[in-house]
Structures are given as structure tokens and as C-alpha cells.
Amino acid sequence: MKNKIIISNPNDMHVHFRDNEMLKLVVPETDKIYENCIVMPNTVPPITNREMAKDYKLRINKYIKNNLNPLMTLYLNENTDENDMIRAFKDKIIFAVKLYPQGATTNSDKGVKNLKNIFPLLRKMEINKIPLLIHGEDTDEKIDIFDREKSFIDKYLTKIVNKFPKLKVTLEHITTSEAVQYVKETTNLGASITPHHLASNRNDMLVSGIRPHLYCLPILKRRKHQEELIKVATSGNEKFFLGTDSAPHEIKHKENICGCAGVFNTINSIEIITQIFDEANSLSQLENFVSKNSASFYKIPFSKKKLELIRIDKPISFQDELIEGDLKIKIYKPNFEVNWKVSRRF
Ligand code: DOR
Ligand code: ZN
């Protein structure tokens, strides 16, 4: 039995930092653990152009003490200026572009309503090698919330990958066995997986009471889908990598008659994942999932810095909340014990 594991510093390929006071609270938590992170642009207002991305990065940088490298994204919409987008990418201000179908999730009301309208932009992205990150859910109100990911793949993602075969696409925070299968068989398509979709399923959210802090989008699915995610994450398959989708909302907006979607999971994210990999007898694949696969997929350098985790006898006691002034955020915890702890970074 392994009691210690050393991996190269992990990457979080999908994180929400929000803006203003929230930055102070959440950026340092990512900075404590991660090397690179892809920062989501669904702030209020959304990050829709080069100038906004540049300023947002400066605001984030104020709270970075270690080596965190925030990789910025642009919020795609039907009015995105293609020259501004290309310039932002060439100047290395943005790393990728994010597609939110309109209405799919938090602050997505300015997202894309008609996919066809952005085809010319996708063509430019393909030519200029700008990665496309997709929130893959069909927002048609007739589609059941548990079927939205599958429906998006069938109706839209297939069109995108067939029309733009050279475009590098990431299907973000995948939740279903159908997504796993589709990503496996499709060229130039990768996928991020969150800690909470690996660790929890819809029963955790809905049995014996409703738990608003587990409500996220795409919504937690059945156990059989969770098992498929664990299987592929622990398999070492290079197309699948960690993106926490850590999405802080104030507690009052989660414990609400109409609560927001999002799970703040940065704290203990690596420990939780290590526990899952340990239980799957796959500790040898941990580094691939959290550090190497994303670096290979996005062609960014592997970190030379290391993170050491040790097995502990007494399970970790999860911190409950993150608090700063009036801001209070609930910290995600799974319904199992975690016997791993980050011991050092070097
Ligand atoms: O649960 C989620 N929360 N899913 C998303 O796609 C967005 C995120 C947020 O920004 O709160
Ligand atoms: Zn997200």
C-alpha cells in the first residue's frame, strides 16, 4: 500500500473566480495548489473582449503569491469581434474562448442563441488554433435537465466537430457515459471532469432532503454515470483531465428559494481526487489526470514543481466555510472520508 505520492503540480483547467471582493477570497486557494488554471469569463458583465480580459487578469494577479498562471478566456457571443479575439490570442492575453449556450447556466444570458451565427468565428478560431471550451447542454426547455448533455452532443457538438475538424474543442465538466464515449471516439476533442461529478451523484443531492450546495450544472447524474467518469479518469486516457468548475456563490444565494448552480470545491480538491484514485487502485494515474493530460492536450509545459500527498490515519476534517467580511461560501465535501493530505510543495 502506497502511503505517499509525489506528482507534478496540478492544473485546474476550469475555474470561476468571479470579481471584486470575491477574488481576494478564492484566488489564493487556487494559488496554494495549482500551477495553471483556466479562468471562466462568466462574470458580471462577462469578459467579451481583449481589453476586459487584460484588466480582469490584472485584478486576479493582485491575489497571486505563488506561481499560479491564470489562463484567460473570452465569452463568445454573436457580436464577438473576430479581429479583437485573434489579437487577444496572438498577444497571449487569452488562452481560449468559451461557448455558453444562452441560458445554460450562471450568467449565460449573453451567451450564444443560434449556433449558426458563430460559425464564421469558429472558422477563424480553427485557422488561428484558438481552443474552444464548451458548456455542453441543450437549453431547449422541452429537454429534461438530466438529458441536456446528451442532447447537446447529438444536436450541436457533432455539427461543430464535423464542420471544424481541426478546431481544438473541450467538452467541459462532462457528466454522462454518453459524453465519455463521444469524447473517446472523436478527434481533437478532450474533456474536463470535476471533483464533485467524480465524488457525488444525484442521490447525494436529493435523497433524505435536498442539498442546495450540491446543485450545479450540468446537474449531478445517476451513479452509473459517476462510475463511468471514475473509470475514464482513472484509466490514464489522455483526453480526460481535471477542471474543478469550482464556482463560488454566497451561501445566501445557494440556500435560497431559487438557489444558484455551483459548487466551491477548490479546497481539498486534490485530496478528494486522490482518495477516489486510491479506492480505484489507480494512484499511478493520478498525475496524468490532474497534471499531465491537460498539459499535453493544450501543449503547455509540464510543471517542474512537485506536490506531495501523504496518507493519514485520521480522516481530514473539512473546513465548512470560507469567510471574508460579509462574504460566506460553503466548501464542498463528499459523503466519504478522505485519508490523504497535501504535505508539501517543492
Ligand atoms: O454549476 C455551475 N456553476 N455550472 C456552471 O456551468 C457555471 C457555474 C457558475 O458560474 O456558477
Ligand atoms: Zn464552470
Side-chain angles (χ1 to χ4, degrees):
M1 189 166 78
K2 252 189 161 174
N3 289 319
K4 184 167 96 174
I5 179 161
I6 296 175
I7 57 173
S8 45
N9 259 355
N11 300 318
D12 179 356
M13 302 322 260
H14 182 134
V15 66
H16 299 265
F17 284 150
R18 314 301 186 204
D19 213 336
N20 308 317
E21 322 83 73
M22 190 71 97
L23 293 177
K24 188 174 175 193
L25 206 53
V26 300
V27 173
E29 298 303 332
T30 297
D31 183 38
K32 277 180 204 163
I33 311 164
Y34 291 98
E35 176 96 4
N36 300 288
C37 65
I38 300 187
V39 183
M40 289 301 118
N42 63 333
T43 46
V44 185
I47 307 299
T48 49
N49 60 49
R50 178 184 181 277
E51 210 50 37
M52 289 177 91
K54 196 173 159 197
D55 291 346
Y56 185 35
K57 185 170 181 171
L58 289 177
R59 294 197 294 282
I60 291 168
N61 279 342
K62 279 201 255 166
Y63 300 103
I64 297 178
K65 283 214 287 285
N66 302 309
N67 305 300
L68 183 68
N69 179 25
L71 302 165
M72 308 308 291
T73 56
L74 213 61
Y75 185 113
L76 193 62
N77 61 77
E78 284 159 47
N79 301 315
T80 300
D81 177 334
E82 62 180 49
N83 293 324
D84 181 77
M85 171 184 79
I86 295 167
R87 197 172 147 222
F89 184 72
K90 291 203 163 152
D91 291 349
K92 297 197 179 344
I93 289 168
I94 61 158
F95 179 77
V97 168
K98 174 79 186 232
L99 164 59
Y100 287 105
Q102 197 172 84
T105 188
T106 309
N107 304 333
S108 60
D109 47 315
K110 300 199 168 57
V112 174
K113 189 157 185 207
N114 187 344
L115 194 64
K116 280 210 179 92
N117 292 343
I118 59 154
F119 280 172
L121 283 160
L122 298 186
R123 178 71 69 211
K124 292 284 175 189
M125 289 172 62
E126 182 182 39
I127 294 166
N128 288 279
K129 300 190 171 21
I130 308 177
L132 173 68
L133 316 178
I134 303 183
H135 182 113
E137 287 197 280
D138 184 354
T139 53
D140 182 336
E141 62 188 26
K142 289 192 221 68
I143 306 292
D144 187 89
I145 188 164
F146 292 98
D147 299 330
R148 288 181 163 200
E149 185 172 271
K150 181 182 172 341
S151 180
F152 183 88
I153 294 169
D154 296 344
K155 265 163 62 184
Y156 301 110
L157 187 57
T158 45
K159 281 208 179 78
I160 294 174
V161 300
N162 289 333
K163 209 166 163 53
F164 307 102
K166 297 223 163 84
L167 182 64
K168 190 193 281 289
V169 179
T170 304
L171 185 57
E172 303 235 78
H173 40 52
I174 58 165
T175 60
T176 56
S177 54
E178 289 86 357
V180 169
Q181 194 48 39
Y182 189 70
V183 172
K184 274 187 186 168
E185 67 199 23
T186 307
T187 315
N188 279 332
L189 181 65
S192 59
I193 304 180
T194 78
H196 47 289
H197 288 100
L198 288 172
S200 304
N201 59 58
R202 66 192 200 181
N203 273 19
D204 297 310
M205 179 175 57
L206 296 171
V207 172
S208 310
I210 186 162
R211 292 177 191 73
H213 293 288
L214 289 183
Y215 174 62
C216 60
L217 290 168
I219 198 153
L220 294 174
K221 304 295 192 300
R222 290 174 183 274
R223 177 185 288 276
K224 71 167 194 201
H225 292 291
Q226 178 194 8
E227 285 167 357
E228 279 302 310
L229 296 178
I230 295 174
K231 200 164 137 198
V232 79
T234 58
S235 72
N237 187 321
E238 287 197 341
K239 305 184 97 191
F240 299 85
F241 44 82
L242 172 63
T244 64
D245 199 11
S246 192
H249 290 277
E250 289 188 61
I251 289 182
K252 63 180 181 214
H253 295 139
K254 294 281 299 171
E255 295 173 7
N256 191 291
I257 197 148
C258 183
C260 298
V263 170
F264 175 69
N265 62 18
T266 306
I267 298 174
N268 299 127
S269 49
I270 290 294
E271 285 90 343
I272 294 167
I273 292 166
T274 306
Q275 184 71 35
I276 293 168
F277 275 61
D278 188 13
E279 276 162 30
N281 287 319
S282 302
L283 281 175
S284 60
Q285 296 300 337
L286 179 68
E287 183 176 48
N288 284 332
F289 180 67
V290 303
S291 317
K292 292 196 164 170
N293 292 353
S294 51
S296 311
F297 184 76
Y298 288 112
K299 299 195 170 36
I300 54 177
F302 291 139
S303 174
K304 294 203 174 59
K305 298 224 165 56
K306 304 282 178 196
L307 193 76
E308 180 187 82
L309 291 117
I310 50 168
R311 190 189 296 279
I312 47 173
D313 291 337
K314 199 170 159 260
I316 53 175
S317 49
F318 288 95
Q319 189 184 328
D320 197 38
E321 292 173 359
L322 199 57
I323 304 177
E324 168 85 29
D326 292 341
L327 274 184
K328 264 195 199 174
I329 306 166
K330 192 73 147 190
I331 299 168
Y332 171 73
K333 59 168 178 266
N335 71 354
F336 50 80
E337 292 183 342
V338 172
N339 287 79
W340 287 91
K341 188 76 208 138
V342 171
S343 46
R344 61 185 173 123
R345 259 179 123 181
F346 57 100

